[in-house]
Amino acid sequence: MYLCSLFLGKSKEAEIKRINKELANIRSKFKGDKALDGYSKKKYVCKLLFIFLLGHDIDFGHMEAVNLLSSNRYTEKQIGYLFISVLVNSNSELIRLINNAIKNDLASRNPTFMGLALHCIANVGSREMAEAFAGEIPKILVAGDTMDSVKQSAALCLLRLYRTSPDLVPMGDWTSRVVHLLNDQHLGVVTAATSLITTLAQKNPEEFKTSVSLAVSRLSRIVTSASTDLQDYTYYFVPAPWLSVKLLRLLQCYPPPEDPAVRGRLTECLETILNKAQEPPKSKKVQHSNAKNAVLFEAISLIIHHDSEPNLLVRACNQLGQFLQHRETNLRYLALESMCTLASSEFSHEAVKTHIETVTNALKTERDVSVRQRAVDLLYAMCDRSNAQQIVAEMLSYLETADYSIREEIVLKVAILAEKYAVDYTWYVDTILNLIRIAGDYVSEEVWYRVIQIVINRDDVQGYAAKTVFEALQAPACHENLVKVGGYILGEFGNLIAGDPRSSPLIQFNLLHSKFHLCSVPTRALLLSTYIKFVNLFPEVKTTIQDVLRSDSQLKNADVELQQRAVEYLRLSTVASTDILATVLEEMPPFPERESSILAKLKKKKGPSTVTDLEEAKRERSADVNGGPEPAPASASTMSTPSPSADLLGLGAAPPAPTGPPPSSGGLLVDVFSDSPSAVAPLAPGSEDNFARFVCKNNGVLFENQLLQIGLKSEFRQNLGRMFIFYGNKTSTQFLSFTPTLICSDDLRANLSLQTKPVDPTVDGGAQVQQVVNIECVSDFTEAPVLNIQFRYGGTFQNVSVKLPITLNKFFQPTEMASQDFFQRWKQLSSPQQEVQNIFKAKHPMDTEITKAKIIGFGSALLEEVDPNPANFVGAGIIHTKTTQIGCLLRLEPNLQAQMYRLTLRTSKETVSQRLCELLSEQF
Amino acid sequence: MQFMLLFSRQGKLRLQKWYVPLSDKEKKKITRELVQTVLARKPKMCSFLEWRDLKIVYKRYASLYFCCAIEDQDNELITLEIIHRYVELLDKYFGSVCELDIIFNFEKAYFILDEFLLGGEVQETSKKNVLKAIEQADLLQEILRQKVAGPF
């Protein structure tokens, strides 16, 4: 054949030479004066195509190819169309000519020519073609006299045009007739039409709703047919597998059928498909099992999509469970993949979890990395509170030998799971340090930033974190990321372990400094900051650190950043007073954090529409609305019944239960949106703890879950205050109808006046909005206002309530007084109503300095050398309200041996004594 | 389906069919990357892999790799059988097809594919019907060949 001469020079160079010669020859033929006959034109166009397909660029011949389209000879036309299909470019001049030729062929009523023209449109699918033919093709498709093969091409041609330019395909009468093609006698027509209907139904579900019952009955006829019934449409003893898959796919555009008869018939089909999976194979050929299982997997996808038949879901899960141990790698892969979606259904989540051993085993034994990757995905999807520790442990141990290509992703997943399911944050800290130990190179900045954010935002884990990093740093060779984390944490919280002689300040410093010289510049810079923080935390190592800073290797370091830090820190440590140092080098404030940067990174890595994300969203909806272990139902009934957790601080006082949104006419109203939905969520778990943390401080993170973070910053003077509430959207999706509402009981409203303005109802992904609350204390009060936040995220309604830490002690003014005055007043306030006393066990280590700080943070003055027993603490202050001022005295007596405290409050008003005593007792 | 590629063990592209609009540059880049990825895989490995945001389904027949890119919700196993059915069609038409058949009769390989798959979707699964369409065309060609004199 004429191509042989072209084929294959001995070397690449020879081939190129040969081809260039041929191209020149063809060019001259095309340009020559002699008109080429159709056959020669076809020959040269075909040669050009061949050359193109060998991987060479072709920039001419288009015109000749277009000429071939109008030939009456089939093969010439065919080659012309092939050239256009493979090599078309949007040259508008040509497109008009091509469209003309197509138009003629479509009108020719010659089915072979029509087929060629339709194939060409489907292959090119450009907008110009859609403009020219999108109106015409539906007519061909539904015309009564159109040949079956033309119908098939027309259906898929229209599908292609709809994909490129949906706006150009007009819906109309033809749609209902297309739906009825599902009933066509010719299975080829049904096969092509089903694809078209599926795509159209995705965008116009209403218009194609009738396709559901037709698809179900068609599917039912196929799955119940004997293997020979469908003749050539049976493939290795499986009746019409492609059509079955397409029909099952079409049904996934819709919810379960409402008509019970249709629904019953569909359930029967799905059961039949599941049953067939258990039958012995009709052939040993892999094509038989592949086709059969293709239908099975599509049926399982539909079952998962409907997510309504627990029985089918569990059967699907069991079937996939069998595949997990199948000898075919392909089936194991698909079973793992499919189970990932099953894990997100509440009906089958538990059933999926039973396969944990098989899946972790797959991590160890699968030889194909893409299968192991699926196993990691599935472990991630099936993880919940009950198995988080096991799964994280398995992932960590796999990480030691994991393929380099997926290590980073595993690190991210472990970090996310550890954070998400940490009940005990010491476990979280251990896990992250293990990550750094095992796969330090793959621990991205996001991960180690995150552990530091969490440690800084949670004071209950700080001591443990300091101790653990200190121990980890003892290893002779540790990863630089550990030095970073260690340096940062010890710089902030090294003081918490400095009491132990084994981790004295000097030992901590020497340990860090022993790593210094092996580290990169950014890490060294971080360590220099740690050193200056040490100067503040531990005055006893100041001179040692100054010596280090002063050394030539620092002061004259070639790196500008290091040199500058050394110079500045040295100077700072020399000239600044202790107070200034303490202010400059104060502990880091909590991070006003937005989205878990790690989650963001994983999403970026995996794309926005992955299974894990779906799963994520589903979980967030169902369980983690408040970041707590139990789902928080947003029900109206909780309004009047205080939730059991709401009374932690109550201690016999009036229960601080919210009494619902007040009527909008009230004068002291704090309800800023009286028309907001009335259902208020019960208090978020952990809300009480967070509340207690704010009694002695004014700034920090009040609440945080997967979606939302609420930060506070407040200031008080006399009986007035102002609170800034920061709402941070941690996701990348907008919050809509974002409505924060302050809820006060009638009692509270009489004593505490709150005023605020509405916030913008839309909070962009990653954005933070601020709300200012002006506060006036009218009279002393016991309860706390509740902050309820409602918004829509994705399609779901979110409802969160937290207690807002506005407490009586915020209106304290400290009063300094001498010993004599103190005891004189103390005696004056000796009536039983004025004194309230509480004896309680210490909940935190009994540290004198911390206690002092807390009393000052509480708002009273701390009076030194007043109490004859130096171990005791006494304080005094005045509570300012609009109506009156109340003098308060307090005395706290620690008993170290018993690990107990006795707290005594004396004020001129019983309710004040009572409330202050409650608030302060919770702090030690 | 977004595209189908046929390439040899040496990485030479033998057939390419794109069902989504892409620039030539993009097509070349995708082809290079995928050929490399697939050729690097070992024989017993599974036939599916994730690639960018697509799923790749591939199978080797003798010296040729058949490789399809499908979307997230598409069915991997049925795609594997699309490949097999296409191989059967080529086999039946050429009579025990080999790489050279596809090189020299590339236009036939394309015509058969167009009858079987159109716009990335299965159009006709019946072997008889697909081959009937192709044979009819060949018949037209034969008639023409007799009419047009000239050396071949």
Side-chain angles (χ1 to χ4, degrees), chain A residues 57 74-75 78 123 152-153 163 232-233 235-236 246 249 287 290 294 298 330 337 368 374, chain B residues 17 28 41 46-47 50 74-76 81 84 88 111 121-124 126-129 137 141:
Chain A
D57 291 329
Y74 181 75
T75 47
Q78 199 184 23
N123 282 327
Q152 287 167 272
S153 302
R163 277 189 186 144
D232 212 28
Y233 289 91
Y235 179 81
Y236 292 87
K246 284 186 182 192
R249 181 78 190 280
Q287 282 76 27
N290 278 351
E298 205 60 51
N330 287 345
E337 185 185 64
D368 184 347
R374 289 286 80 80
Chain B
K17 191 79 192 177
K28 279 189 180 156
R41 290 177 63 85
C46 99
S47 313
E50 274 186 349
D74 289 336
N75 189 311
E76 291 99 336
E81 294 318 296
H84 187 75
E88 285 183 351
F111 297 148
E121 305 286 338
V122 174
Q123 173 172 225
E124 178 55 83
S126 155
K127 237 195 295 195
K128 272 187 213 151
N129 289 354
Q141 194 168 2

Side-chain angles (χ1 to χ4, degrees), chain A residues 70-204:
Chain A
S70 41
S71 162
N72 283 327
R73 293 181 178 133
Y74 181 75
T75 47
E76 288 170 20
K77 199 186 269 294
Q78 199 184 23
I79 291 294
Y81 273 126
L82 181 59
F83 186 95
I84 303 295
S85 302
V86 175
L87 263 151
V88 82
N89 57 20
S90 282
N91 183 327
S92 62
E93 195 58 35
L94 275 181
I95 284 284
R96 210 178 316 134
L97 291 171
I98 296 168
N99 281 356
N100 243 339
I102 292 176
K103 198 166 283 170
N104 291 336
D105 281 334
L106 286 182
S108 72
R109 312 198 59 79
N110 173 338
T112 326
F113 287 6
M114 285 174 89
L116 280 180
L118 290 169
H119 288 182
C120 181
I121 301 173
N123 282 327
V124 178
S126 68
R127 203 168 164 83
E128 291 85 352
M129 286 192 174
E131 278 164 1
F133 303 111
E136 181 67 16
I137 295 170
K139 290 179 202 153
I140 299 176
L141 177 59
V142 298
D145 57 348
T146 306
M147 298 257 303
D148 288 334
S149 65
V150 176
K151 267 190 204 163
Q152 287 167 272
S153 302
L156 294 176
C157 187
L158 191 57
L159 166 60
R160 174 72 196 263
L161 293 184
Y162 187 77
R163 277 189 186 144
T164 357
S165 326
D167 53 312
L168 294 179
V169 178
M171 294 294 131
D173 297 344
W174 59 273
T175 55
S176 61
R177 305 190 44 193
V178 164
V179 172
H180 281 276
L181 290 178
L182 288 173
N183 264 339
D184 203 282
Q185 286 191 317
H186 190 285
L187 278 189
V189 172
V190 186
T191 305
T194 308
S195 290
L196 174 65
I197 295 167
T198 304
T199 305
L200 294 173
Q202 277 162 354
K203 293 264 172 63
N204 319 277

Side-chain angles (χ1 to χ4, degrees), chain A residues 41-59:
Chain A
K41 237 185 252 170
K42 184 191 90 172
K43 183 170 94 178
Y44 293 126
V45 167
C46 198
K47 280 191 181 190
L48 285 180
L49 250 179
F50 182 78
I51 292 168
F52 173 77
L53 292 171
L54 281 179
H56 303 272
D57 291 329
I58 296 294
D59 55 3

Side-chain angles (χ1 to χ4, degrees), chain A residues 624-635:
Chain A
D624 275 354
V625 174
N626 280 321
E630 293 299 321
S635 77

Side-chain angles (χ1 to χ4, degrees), chain A residues 233-251:
Chain A
Y233 289 91
T234 295
Y235 179 81
Y236 292 87
F237 303 100
V238 182
W242 284 280
L243 180 53
S244 305
V245 167
K246 284 186 182 192
L247 290 168
L248 288 162
R249 181 78 190 280
L250 167 59
L251 292 171

